[in-house]
Each structure stands twice: as C-alpha cells, then as structure tokens.
Amino acid sequence: MTGTERRAQLIEVGRALFAERGFEGTSVEEIAMRAEVSKPVVYEHFGGKEGLYAVVVDREIADLTSRITTALASTGGARDLIERAALALLDYVEGSTDGFRILVRDSPPGQQTGNFASLMSDVASQVEHLLAQQFTARNLDARAAPMYAQMLVGMVALTGQWWMDQRTFKKTEVAAHLVNLAWNGLTGMEASPTLTRTP
C-alpha cells in the first residue's frame, strides 16, 4: 500500500472501531491489529489514537456541516427550510450511522471544538437569523430567536439520536413528524407566552 492508501485504510478502521467501542474503548493496539499493521505505523500517520480520532471527527463534521449548510442556504419558505434541515440530518444518520454515532458520543478529554455539540451550536446560530426574520414578519419578539433556534435544533438533533437506533419509522415519516411539531408549534406561537401555573 502507498502511504496515502494506508492512511485511508487506518481512517476507515479507526472510524469503525470508534463507532463500535467509543474513543475510550478503542486502543492503538486494536486499530493496528484490525488494519494488520504494527502500532508504529499508526503513530507514524497520526501520532496516536487522539490524532486519528481528530481526523475521523473532522471528516464527519465537514460532511454533516456541508449537508446542513446546503439545506439552510436553499431558497423557499420557512416550512421548506425546516423540512430540508430535518431531512439533511436524517439523511446523514441513515447514510453515515457510524459517523453520527461517533459525533454524538463524548469527545476525548480537553476537546472543546469539532464535536457534535459545537456543530449544533453553529447550526443554531444560522437558524437564529432565519427565525429572527420570521419573528419580525409575524410581530413576535425577535430577541427570543436565539432561544427558539436552540430549541428547534435540539429537537431535530435528539430525534436523530433516537432514530439512529429506533428505525421503526421511515426517514420521511420522522421528518414529517418533526416538521409537524416544529411548524405547527411555530405558527401558533403566542406573542407573550406565559405558564398556566405560576411556580
């Protein structure tokens, strides 16, 4: 194998092991054994397990970010936007289950960026501006848009995590239910919501 081919092989082997066992449960020994190389080969290409994990996560983040950014950049109404964003995440979960499993697991200690939480925060920032426009158009307080963006993105992300293991519904059915809750909830919002019971 060329160095490039070996590196690609190690990334695929690492990706499969990290998805199966998590970061902490995977060792350099296992990676080397499954790739049928010596441990020094793994160190030579990635400096260790952490380096390989970082490459795997970066690739998954880039893939998912590209899908969601494309969905959010498309033209159309707000409902279309929610549908496309939900389907983009569910498409990723369906087509890259191992990658999604890696992203939603705990990151190695000390890793502050390049994880699922930071990606969802970035997506919420993009959604926030779109919601603010919709809020203004509907005479709602646009200052609440960041909070609603977190709610919406969190709802989609947690549903994606649930659907990863519970494939009892088709992807389009899950997306339709997500959009039903999000859209019908957003269209019926009160300008000044209050609790029915005061704590």
Side-chain angles (χ1 to χ4, degrees):
M1 263 187 206
T2 66
T4 303
E5 291 169 337
R6 179 65 72 196
R7 182 176 172 82
Q9 179 211 22
L10 289 169
I11 289 169
E12 284 309 306
V13 167
R15 183 178 185 268
L17 281 168
F18 292 135
E20 182 183 324
R21 300 176 186 203
F23 177 79
E24 294 296 335
T26 301
S27 68
V28 173
E29 290 82 6
E30 286 177 292
I31 295 165
M33 187 175 75
R34 197 171 284 187
E36 298 180 353
V37 298
S38 64
K39 286 190 339 186
V41 173
V42 178
Y43 287 107
E44 176 187 326
H45 283 277
F46 300 101
K49 179 175 77 167
E50 294 80 3
L52 176 56
Y53 183 84
V55 169
V56 169
V57 168
D58 285 349
R59 285 175 174 226
E60 297 302 326
I61 290 283
D63 182 15
L64 183 52
T65 300
S66 172
R67 292 173 191 237
I68 292 175
T69 301
T70 299
L72 294 177
S74 303
T75 57
R79 183 180 175 124
D80 290 337
L81 176 79
I82 295 169
E83 285 182 13
R84 285 191 306 270
L87 278 171
L89 179 69
L90 294 174
D91 281 342
Y92 176 77
V93 172
E94 181 179 60
S96 189
T97 303
D98 280 354
F100 189 68
R101 196 175 305 282
I102 291 166
L103 292 181
V104 297
R105 278 205 173 117
D106 290 339
S107 300
Q111 182 172 333
Q112 301 299 317
T113 60
N115 59 36
F116 189 67
S118 66
L119 171 62
M120 290 297 101
S121 179
D122 292 345
V123 171
S125 294
Q126 293 179 49
V127 171
E128 173 185 324
H129 300 295
L130 300 164
L131 285 179
Q133 293 169 0
Q134 291 295 316
F135 279 27
T136 300
R138 294 169 188 244
N139 294 320
L140 298 169
D141 186 359
R143 294 176 302 169
M147 177 174 53
Y148 280 92
Q150 293 291 331
M151 292 176 197
L152 188 58
V153 170
M155 180 177 71
V156 174
L158 286 174
T159 303
Q161 288 178 301
W162 170 81
W163 188 65
M164 176 174 59
D165 295 317
Q166 304 291 326
R167 303 285 176 103
T168 52
F169 292 91
K170 294 178 186 172
K171 174 180 60 181
T172 53
E173 291 174 323
V174 175
H177 284 284
L178 269 168
V179 173
N180 182 39
L181 178 60
W183 182 252
N184 289 318
L186 288 172
T187 55
M189 284 195 319
E190 300 169 342
S192 300
T194 58
L195 299 175
T196 56
R197 253 180 88 159
T198 306

